[in-house]
Amino acid sequence: MNTADRPRLENIDEVWCSYASLQGLLAELFLDVCEDEVDDAALRASASLFGFHGVGRLLAEAAKAGAGYDQWRAGFGASCVERPGEKA
């Protein structure tokens, strides 16, 4: 399985995030956008344009995460995978 890494700019040898799928990468990017308090409608429209399928789940789960948000966020990207027959 191919992975892509996102290094920290302060130390390019330190991996910040690792992605096993395009959906996982998109999940991390859309989490960043969601944390910038972008309107849900705009987030959904952008997700549709980029082909991110997990935006509804992201919004619902983020709203329910509460005090466990950081733990939920850390695992959300890894739980987003391509649909059967879809290529990264």
Side-chain angles (χ1 to χ4, degrees):
M1 177 182 298
N2 295 330
T3 62
D5 296 330
R6 180 177 167 190
R8 288 188 177 273
L9 294 179
E10 300 86 20
N11 179 2
I12 60 171
D13 293 327
E14 180 184 353
V15 175
W16 200 6
C17 299
S18 185
Y19 312 102
S21 71
L22 176 58
Q23 290 298 306
L25 169 64
L26 290 171
E28 291 294 331
L29 295 174
F30 277 91
L31 278 165
D32 289 343
V33 172
C34 184
E35 289 171 351
D36 286 340
E37 299 182 16
V38 171
D39 177 75
D40 288 2
L43 195 67
R44 288 178 188 277
S46 296
S48 178
L49 290 172
F50 284 94
F52 176 52
H53 309 299
V55 69
R57 199 177 113 224
L58 181 153
L59 292 170
E61 290 181 13
K64 293 179 185 175
Y69 179 83
D70 289 339
Q71 184 177 359
W72 167 80
R73 190 197 195 290
F76 182 77
S79 72
C80 295
V81 296
E82 269 62 47
R83 292 177 176 168
E86 186 175 54
K87 293 187 179 183

Coordinates of all heavy atoms in Angstrom, one line a residue:
M1 N 0.8 -1.2 0.0 CA 0.0 0.0 0.0 C 0.9 1.2 0.0 O 1.9 1.3 0.7 CB -0.9 0.0 1.2 CG -1.7 1.2 1.3 SD -2.8 1.3 2.9 CE -3.8 -0.2 2.6
N2 N 0.6 2.2 -0.9 CA 1.3 3.4 -0.9 C 0.8 4.4 0.1 O -0.3 4.4 0.5 CB 1.2 4.1 -2.3 CG 1.8 3.2 -3.4 OD1 2.7 2.5 -3.2 ND2 1.2 3.3 -4.6
T3 N 1.7 5.2 0.7 CA 1.4 6.2 1.6 C 2.0 7.5 1.2 O 3.0 7.5 0.5 CB 1.8 5.8 3.1 OG1 3.2 5.7 3.1 CG2 1.1 4.5 3.5
A4 N 1.4 8.6 1.7 CA 2.0 9.9 1.5 C 2.2 10.5 2.8 O 1.4 10.3 3.7 CB 1.1 10.8 0.6
D5 N 3.3 11.2 3.0 CA 3.6 11.8 4.3 C 3.6 13.3 4.2 O 3.9 13.9 3.2 CB 5.0 11.4 4.8 CG 5.1 9.9 5.1 OD1 4.1 9.3 5.5 OD2 6.2 9.3 5.0
R6 N 3.2 14.0 5.3 CA 3.2 15.4 5.3 C 4.1 15.8 6.4 O 3.8 15.7 7.6 CB 1.7 15.9 5.7 CG 1.6 17.4 5.8 CD 0.1 17.7 6.0 NE -0.1 19.1 6.4 CZ -1.2 19.6 6.9 NH1 -2.2 18.8 7.0 NH2 -1.3 20.8 7.2
P7 N 5.4 16.3 6.0 CA 6.3 16.6 7.1 C 6.1 18.0 7.7 O 5.4 18.8 7.1 CB 7.7 16.7 6.3 CG 7.3 17.0 4.9 CD 5.9 16.4 4.7
R8 N 6.6 18.2 8.9 CA 6.5 19.5 9.5 C 7.6 20.4 8.8 O 8.7 20.0 8.5 CB 6.9 19.5 11.0 CG 5.8 18.8 11.8 CD 6.2 19.0 13.3 NE 5.2 18.4 14.1 CZ 4.1 19.1 14.5 NH1 4.0 20.4 14.2 NH2 3.2 18.6 15.3
L9 N 7.2 21.6 8.5 CA 8.2 22.5 7.8 C 9.4 22.9 8.7 O 10.4 23.2 8.3 CB 7.5 23.8 7.4 CG 6.4 23.6 6.3 CD1 5.7 24.9 5.9 CD2 7.1 22.9 5.0
E10 N 9.1 22.9 10.1 CA 10.2 23.2 11.0 C 11.3 22.2 11.0 O 12.4 22.4 11.3 CB 9.7 23.5 12.4 CG 8.7 24.6 12.5 CD 7.2 24.1 12.2 OE1 6.9 22.9 12.3 OE2 6.4 25.0 11.9
N11 N 10.9 20.9 10.8 CA 11.8 19.8 10.8 C 11.3 18.8 9.8 O 10.4 18.0 10.1 CB 11.8 19.1 12.2 CG 12.7 17.9 12.3 OD1 13.3 17.6 11.3 ND2 12.8 17.3 13.4
I12 N 11.8 18.8 8.6 CA 11.2 18.0 7.5 C 11.5 16.5 7.7 O 10.9 15.7 7.0 CB 11.8 18.4 6.1 CG1 13.3 18.3 6.1 CG2 11.3 19.8 5.8 CD1 13.9 18.5 4.7
D13 N 12.3 16.1 8.7 CA 12.5 14.7 9.0 C 11.4 14.2 9.9 O 11.2 13.0 10.0 CB 13.8 14.5 9.6 CG 15.0 14.7 8.6 OD1 14.8 14.5 7.4 OD2 16.0 15.2 9.1
E14 N 10.6 15.1 10.5 CA 9.5 14.7 11.4 C 8.2 14.6 10.6 O 7.8 15.6 10.0 CB 9.4 15.7 12.6 CG 8.3 15.3 13.5 CD 8.1 16.4 14.6 OE1 8.9 17.3 14.7 OE2 7.1 16.3 15.3
V15 N 7.6 13.4 10.6 CA 6.3 13.3 9.9 C 5.2 13.7 10.7 O 5.1 13.4 11.9 CB 6.1 11.8 9.5 CG1 4.8 11.6 8.8 CG2 7.2 11.3 8.5
W16 N 4.4 14.6 10.2 CA 3.2 15.2 10.9 C 2.0 14.3 10.7 O 1.3 14.0 11.6 CB 3.0 16.5 10.3 CG 2.2 17.5 11.1 CD1 1.8 17.3 12.4 CD2 1.8 18.8 10.8 NE1 1.1 18.4 12.8 CE2 1.1 19.3 11.8 CE3 1.9 19.5 9.6 CZ2 0.5 20.6 11.8 CZ3 1.3 20.8 9.6 CH2 0.7 21.3 10.7
C17 N 1.8 13.9 9.5 CA 0.6 13.0 9.2 C 1.1 12.0 8.1 O 2.0 12.3 7.3 CB -0.5 13.8 8.6 SG -1.2 15.0 9.7
S18 N 0.4 10.9 8.0 CA 0.7 9.9 7.0 C -0.7 9.4 6.5 O -1.6 9.2 7.2 CB 1.5 8.7 7.6 OG 1.8 7.8 6.6
Y19 N -0.8 9.3 5.1 CA -2.0 9.0 4.5 C -1.9 7.7 3.7 O -1.0 7.5 2.9 CB -2.4 10.1 3.6 CG -2.3 11.5 4.2 CD1 -1.3 12.3 3.9 CD2 -3.3 11.9 5.1 CE1 -1.1 13.5 4.5 CE2 -3.1 13.1 5.7 CZ -2.1 13.9 5.4 OH -1.9 15.1 6.0
A20 N -2.9 6.8 3.9 CA -2.9 5.6 3.1 C -3.8 5.6 1.9 O -3.9 4.7 1.1 CB -3.2 4.4 4.0
S21 N -4.6 6.7 1.9 CA -5.6 6.8 0.8 C -5.9 8.3 0.5 O -5.6 9.2 1.3 CB -6.9 6.1 1.2 OG -7.6 6.9 2.2
L22 N -6.4 8.5 -0.7 CA -6.7 9.9 -1.1 C -7.8 10.4 -0.1 O -7.8 11.6 0.3 CB -7.2 9.9 -2.5 CG -7.7 11.3 -3.0 CD1 -6.7 12.4 -2.9 CD2 -8.2 11.2 -4.4
Q23 N -8.8 9.6 0.2 CA -9.9 10.0 1.1 C -9.3 10.3 2.5 O -9.8 11.3 3.1 CB -10.9 8.9 1.3 CG -11.8 8.7 0.0 CD -12.5 9.9 -0.4 OE1 -13.3 10.5 0.4 NE2 -12.4 10.4 -1.6
G24 N -8.3 9.6 3.0 CA -7.6 10.0 4.2 C -6.9 11.3 4.1 O -7.0 12.1 5.1
L25 N -6.3 11.6 3.0 CA -5.7 12.9 2.8 C -6.7 14.0 2.8 O -6.6 15.1 3.5 CB -4.9 13.0 1.5 CG -4.4 14.3 1.1 CD1 -3.4 14.9 2.1 CD2 -3.8 14.2 -0.3
L26 N -7.8 13.8 2.1 CA -8.9 14.8 2.0 C -9.5 15.0 3.4 O -9.9 16.1 3.7 CB -9.9 14.4 1.0 CG -9.5 14.5 -0.5 CD1 -10.5 13.8 -1.4 CD2 -9.2 15.9 -0.9
A27 N -9.6 13.9 4.1 CA -10.2 14.0 5.5 C -9.4 15.0 6.3 O -9.9 15.9 7.0 CB -10.3 12.7 6.1
E28 N -8.1 14.8 6.3 CA -7.2 15.7 7.1 C -7.3 17.2 6.6 O -7.4 18.1 7.4 CB -5.7 15.3 7.0 CG -5.5 14.0 7.7 CD -5.6 14.1 9.2 OE1 -5.4 15.1 9.8 OE2 -5.9 13.0 9.8
L29 N -7.4 17.4 5.3 CA -7.5 18.7 4.8 C -8.8 19.4 5.2 O -8.9 20.5 5.6 CB -7.3 18.8 3.3 CG -5.9 18.4 2.8 CD1 -5.9 18.3 1.3 CD2 -4.9 19.3 3.3
F30 N -9.9 18.6 5.1 CA -11.2 19.1 5.4 C -11.4 19.3 6.9 O -12.1 20.2 7.4 CB -12.3 18.3 4.8 CG -12.6 18.6 3.4 CD1 -11.9 18.0 2.3 CD2 -13.5 19.7 3.1 CE1 -12.1 18.4 1.0 CE2 -13.7 20.1 1.8 CZ -13.0 19.5 0.7
L31 N -10.7 18.5 7.7 CA -10.7 18.7 9.2 C -10.1 20.1 9.5 O -10.6 20.9 10.3 CB -9.9 17.6 9.9 CG -10.7 16.4 10.2 CD1 -9.8 15.2 10.6 CD2 -11.7 16.6 11.3
D32 N -9.0 20.4 8.8 CA -8.3 21.7 9.0 C -9.3 22.8 8.6 O -9.4 23.8 9.3 CB -7.1 21.8 8.1 CG -5.9 21.0 8.7 OD1 -6.0 20.5 9.8 OD2 -5.0 20.7 7.9
V33 N -10.0 22.7 7.5 CA -10.9 23.7 7.0 C -12.1 23.8 8.0 O -12.5 24.9 8.4 CB -11.5 23.4 5.6 CG1 -12.6 24.3 5.2 CG2 -10.3 23.4 4.6
C34 N -12.6 22.7 8.5 CA -13.7 22.7 9.5 C -13.3 23.4 10.7 O -14.1 24.1 11.3 CB -14.1 21.2 9.8 SG -15.5 21.0 10.8
E35 N -12.1 23.2 11.2 CA -11.6 23.9 12.4 C -11.5 25.4 12.2 O -11.4 26.1 13.1 CB -10.3 23.3 12.8 CG -10.5 21.9 13.4 CD -9.2 21.1 13.7 OE1 -8.1 21.6 13.3 OE2 -9.3 20.0 14.3
D36 N -11.4 25.9 10.9 CA -11.4 27.3 10.6 C -12.8 27.9 10.6 O -13.0 29.0 10.2 CB -10.7 27.6 9.3 CG -9.2 27.4 9.4 OD1 -8.7 27.4 10.5 OD2 -8.6 27.2 8.3
E37 N -13.8 27.1 11.1 CA -15.2 27.5 11.2 C -15.8 28.0 9.9 O -16.5 28.9 9.8 CB -15.3 28.6 12.3 CG -14.9 28.1 13.6 CD -15.0 29.1 14.8 OE1 -15.8 30.1 14.6 OE2 -14.5 28.8 15.8
V38 N -15.5 27.2 8.8 CA -16.1 27.4 7.5 C -17.6 26.9 7.6 O -17.9 25.9 8.2 CB -15.3 26.7 6.4 CG1 -16.1 26.8 5.1 CG2 -13.9 27.3 6.3
D39 N -18.5 27.6 7.0 CA -19.9 27.3 6.9 C -20.0 25.9 6.4 O -19.4 25.4 5.4 CB -20.6 28.3 6.0 CG -22.0 28.0 5.8 OD1 -22.8 28.2 6.7 OD2 -22.4 27.5 4.7
D40 N -21.0 25.1 7.0 CA -21.2 23.7 6.6 C -21.6 23.5 5.2 O -21.1 22.6 4.5 CB -22.3 23.1 7.5 CG -21.8 22.8 8.9 OD1 -20.7 23.1 9.3 OD2 -22.6 22.2 9.7
A41 N -22.4 24.5 4.7 CA -22.8 24.4 3.2 C -21.6 24.6 2.3 O -21.5 23.8 1.3 CB -23.9 25.4 3.0
A42 N -20.7 25.5 2.7 CA -19.5 25.7 1.8 C -18.6 24.5 1.9 O -18.0 24.1 0.9 CB -18.8 27.0 2.3
L43 N -18.5 23.9 3.1 CA -17.7 22.7 3.3 C -18.2 21.6 2.5 O -17.4 20.9 1.8 CB -17.6 22.4 4.8 CG -16.6 21.4 5.2 CD1 -15.2 22.0 5.1 CD2 -16.8 21.0 6.7
R44 N -19.5 21.4 2.5 CA -20.1 20.3 1.7 C -19.9 20.5 0.2 O -19.6 19.6 -0.5 CB -21.6 20.2 2.0 CG -21.9 19.6 3.4 CD -23.4 19.5 3.7 NE -23.7 19.2 5.0 CZ -23.7 17.9 5.5 NH1 -23.5 16.9 4.7 NH2 -24.0 17.7 6.8
A45 N -20.1 21.8 -0.2 CA -19.9 22.1 -1.7 C -18.5 21.8 -2.1 O -18.2 21.2 -3.1 CB -20.3 23.5 -1.9
S46 N -17.5 22.2 -1.3 CA -16.1 22.0 -1.6 C -15.8 20.5 -1.6 O -15.0 20.0 -2.4 CB -15.2 22.7 -0.6 OG -15.4 24.1 -0.7
A47 N -16.3 19.8 -0.6 CA -16.1 18.3 -0.5 C -16.6 17.6 -1.8 O -15.9 16.7 -2.3 CB -16.7 17.8 0.7
S48 N -17.7 18.1 -2.3 CA -18.3 17.5 -3.5 C -17.3 17.8 -4.7 O -17.1 16.9 -5.5 CB -19.7 18.1 -3.8 OG -20.2 17.6 -5.0
L49 N -16.8 19.0 -4.8 CA -15.9 19.3 -5.9 C -14.6 18.5 -5.8 O -14.1 18.1 -6.9 CB -15.5 20.8 -5.8 CG -16.7 21.8 -6.2 CD1 -16.2 23.2 -5.9 CD2 -17.0 21.6 -7.6
F50 N -14.1 18.2 -4.6 CA -12.9 17.5 -4.5 C -13.1 16.0 -4.4 O -12.1 15.2 -4.4 CB -12.1 18.0 -3.3 CG -11.4 19.3 -3.5 CD1 -12.0 20.5 -3.1 CD2 -10.2 19.4 -4.1 CE1 -11.4 21.7 -3.4 CE2 -9.5 20.6 -4.3 CZ -10.2 21.7 -3.9
G51 N -14.3 15.5 -4.3 CA -14.6 14.1 -4.2 C -14.4 13.5 -2.9 O -14.2 12.3 -2.7
F52 N -14.5 14.3 -1.8 CA -14.4 13.8 -0.4 C -15.8 13.3 0.0 O -16.7 14.0 0.1 CB -13.9 14.8 0.5 CG -13.8 14.4 1.9 CD1 -13.2 13.2 2.3 CD2 -14.4 15.1 2.9 CE1 -13.2 12.8 3.6 CE2 -14.4 14.7 4.3 CZ -13.8 13.5 4.6
H53 N -15.9 12.0 0.2 CA -17.1 11.3 0.5 C -17.5 11.4 2.0 O -18.7 11.1 2.3 CB -17.1 9.9 0.0 CG -16.7 9.7 -1.4 ND1 -17.3 10.3 -2.4 CD2 -15.6 9.1 -1.9 CE1 -16.7 10.0 -3.5 NE2 -15.6 9.3 -3.2
G54 N -16.6 11.7 2.9 CA -16.9 11.6 4.3 C -17.3 12.9 5.0 O -17.3 12.9 6.2
V55 N -17.7 13.9 4.2 CA -17.9 15.2 4.8 C -19.1 15.2 5.8 O -19.1 15.8 6.9 CB -18.1 16.3 3.8 CG1 -19.3 16.2 3.0 CG2 -18.0 17.7 4.5
G56 N -20.2 14.4 5.4 CA -21.4 14.3 6.3 C -21.0 13.7 7.6 O -21.4 14.1 8.7
R57 N -20.2 12.6 7.5 CA -19.8 11.9 8.7 C -18.8 12.8 9.5 O -18.9 12.8 10.8 CB -19.0 10.6 8.3 CG -18.9 9.6 9.4 CD -18.3 8.3 9.0 NE -17.0 8.3 9.7 CZ -15.9 7.9 9.2 NH1 -15.8 7.6 7.9 NH2 -14.8 7.9 9.9
L58 N -17.9 13.5 8.9 CA -17.0 14.4 9.6 C -17.8 15.4 10.4 O -17.5 15.6 11.6 CB -16.1 15.1 8.5 CG -15.1 16.1 9.1 CD1 -13.9 16.2 8.1 CD2 -15.7 17.5 9.3
L59 N -18.8 16.1 9.8 CA -19.6 17.1 10.5 C -20.3 16.5 11.7 O -20.4 17.1 12.8 CB -20.5 17.8 9.5 CG -19.8 18.7 8.5 CD1 -20.7 19.2 7.4 CD2 -19.1 19.9 9.1
A60 N -21.0 15.4 11.4 CA -21.8 14.7 12.5 C -20.9 14.3 13.7 O -21.2 14.5 14.8 CB -22.6 13.6 11.9
E61 N -19.8 13.6 13.4 CA -18.9 13.1 14.4 C -18.2 14.2 15.2 O -18.0 14.1 16.4 CB -18.0 12.1 13.8 CG -18.7 10.8 13.4 CD -17.7 9.7 12.9 OE1 -16.5 9.9 13.0 OE2 -18.2 8.8 12.3
A62 N -17.8 15.2 14.4 CA -17.1 16.3 15.1 C -18.0 17.0 16.1 O -17.6 17.4 17.2 CB -16.6 17.3 14.0
A63 N -19.3 17.2 15.7 CA -20.2 17.8 16.6 C -20.5 17.0 17.9 O -20.7 17.6 18.9 CB -21.5 18.0 15.9
K64 N -20.3 15.7 17.8 CA -20.6 14.8 18.9 C -19.3 14.5 19.7 O -19.5 13.9 20.8 CB -21.2 13.5 18.5 CG -22.6 13.6 17.9 CD -23.0 12.3 17.4 CE -24.4 12.4 16.7 NZ -24.8 11.1 16.1
A65 N -18.1 14.8 19.2 CA -16.9 14.4 19.8 C -16.7 15.0 21.2 O -16.1 14.3 22.1 CB -15.7 14.7 18.9
G66 N -17.1 16.2 21.4 CA -16.9 16.9 22.7 C -15.5 16.8 23.3 O -14.5 17.2 22.5
A67 N -15.3 16.4 24.5 CA -14.0 16.4 25.1 C -13.1 15.4 24.5 O -11.8 15.5 24.6 CB -14.2 16.1 26.6
G68 N -13.6 14.4 23.8 CA -12.7 13.4 23.1 C -12.4 13.8 21.7 O -11.9 13.0 20.9
Y69 N -12.5 15.1 21.3 CA -12.3 15.6 20.0 C -10.9 15.3 19.5 O -10.8 14.8 18.4 CB -12.5 17.1 19.9 CG -12.3 17.6 18.5 CD1 -13.3 17.5 17.5 CD2 -11.0 18.2 18.1 CE1 -13.0 18.0 16.2 CE2 -10.8 18.6 16.8 CZ -11.8 18.5 15.9 OH -11.6 19.0 14.6
D70 N -9.9 15.5 20.2 CA -8.5 15.3 19.8 C -8.3 13.8 19.4 O -7.6 13.5 18.4 CB -7.5 15.8 20.8 CG -7.4 17.3 20.9 OD1 -7.9 18.0 20.0 OD2 -7.0 17.8 22.0
Q71 N -8.8 13.0 20.3 CA -8.6 11.5 20.0 C -9.4 11.1 18.8 O -8.9 10.4 17.9 CB -9.1 10.7 21.2 CG -8.9 9.2 21.0 CD -9.3 8.4 22.3 OE1 -9.7 9.0 23.3 NE2 -9.1 7.1 22.2
W72 N -10.6 11.6 18.6 CA -11.4 11.3 17.5 C -10.7 11.8 16.2 O -10.6 11.1 15.2 CB -12.8 12.0 17.6 CG -13.6 11.9 16.3 CD1 -14.2 10.9 15.7 CD2 -13.6 13.0 15.3 NE1 -14.7 11.2 14.5 CE2 -14.4 12.5 14.2 CE3 -13.1 14.3 15.3 CZ2 -14.7 13.3 13.1 CZ3 -13.4 15.1 14.2 CH2 -14.2 14.6 13.1
R73 N -10.2 13.1 16.3 CA -9.6 13.7 15.1 C -8.4 12.9 14.7 O -8.1 12.7 13.5 CB -9.2 15.1 15.4 CG -8.7 15.9 14.2 CD -8.0 17.1 14.5 NE -7.8 18.1 13.4 CZ -7.1 17.9 12.4 NH1 -6.4 16.7 12.2 NH2 -7.0 18.8 11.4
A74 N -7.6 12.4 15.6 CA -6.4 11.7 15.3 C -6.7 10.4 14.5 O -5.8 10.0 13.7 CB -5.6 11.3 16.6
G75 N -7.8 9.8 14.7 CA -8.1 8.6 14.0 C -9.1 8.7 12.8 O -9.3 7.8 12.0
F76 N -9.7 9.9 12.6 CA -10.7 10.1 11.6 C -10.1 9.8 10.2 O -10.7 9.1 9.4 CB -11.4 11.4 11.7 CG -12.5 11.6 10.6 CD1 -13.7 11.0 10.8 CD2 -12.3 12.3 9.5 CE1 -14.7 11.1 9.9 CE2 -13.3 12.5 8.5 CZ -14.5 11.9 8.7
G77 N -9.0 10.4 9.9 CA -8.4 10.3 8.5 C -8.2 8.9 8.1 O -8.4 8.5 7.0
A78 N -7.7 8.1 9.1 CA -7.4 6.7 8.8 C -8.6 5.9 8.5 O -8.6 4.8 7.9 CB -6.6 6.1 9.9
S79 N -9.8 6.4 9.0 CA -11.0 5.6 8.8 C -11.7 5.9 7.5 O -12.7 5.3 7.1 CB -12.0 5.9 10.0 OG -12.5 7.3 9.9
C80 N -11.1 6.9 6.8 CA -11.7 7.3 5.5 C -10.9 6.6 4.4 O -9.7 6.8 4.2 CB -11.6 8.8 5.3 SG -12.6 9.7 6.5
V81 N -11.6 5.7 3.7 CA -10.9 4.9 2.6 C -11.7 5.1 1.3 O -12.9 5.5 1.3 CB -10.8 3.4 3.0 CG1 -9.9 3.3 4.2 CG2 -12.2 2.9 3.3
E82 N -11.1 4.7 0.2 CA -11.8 4.8 -1.1 C -13.0 3.8 -1.1 O -12.9 2.8 -0.4 CB -10.8 4.4 -2.2 CG -10.1 5.6 -2.8 CD -9.2 6.3 -1.8 OE1 -8.4 5.7 -1.1 OE2 -9.3 7.5 -1.8
R83 N -14.0 4.1 -1.8 CA -15.1 3.2 -2.0 C -14.7 2.1 -2.9 O -13.8 2.2 -3.7 CB -16.3 4.0 -2.7 CG -16.9 5.0 -1.8 CD -17.9 5.8 -2.5 NE -18.6 6.8 -1.6 CZ -19.4 7.7 -2.0 NH1 -19.7 7.9 -3.3 NH2 -19.9 8.5 -1.2
P84 N -15.3 0.9 -2.8 CA -15.0 -0.2 -3.7 C -15.0 0.2 -5.2 O -15.9 0.9 -5.6 CB -16.1 -1.2 -3.4 CG -16.5 -0.9 -2.0 CD -16.4 0.6 -1.9
G85 N -13.9 -0.2 -5.8 CA -13.8 0.2 -7.3 C -13.3 1.5 -7.6 O -13.0 1.9 -8.7
E86 N -13.0 2.3 -6.5 CA -12.5 3.7 -6.7 C -11.0 3.7 -6.6 O -10.5 3.0 -5.7 CB -13.2 4.6 -5.6 CG -12.9 6.0 -5.7 CD -13.6 6.8 -4.7 OE1 -13.5 6.5 -3.5 OE2 -14.3 7.8 -5.1
K87 N -10.3 4.4 -7.4 CA -8.9 4.5 -7.4 C -8.5 5.8 -6.7 O -9.1 6.8 -7.0 CB -8.3 4.3 -8.7 CG -8.5 3.0 -9.3 CD -7.8 2.8 -10.6 CE -8.0 1.4 -11.2 NZ -7.3 1.2 -12.4
A88 N -7.4 5.7 -6.0 CA -6.8 6.9 -5.3 C -6.1 7.8 -6.4 O -5.7 7.5 -7.4 CB -5.8 6.5 -4.3

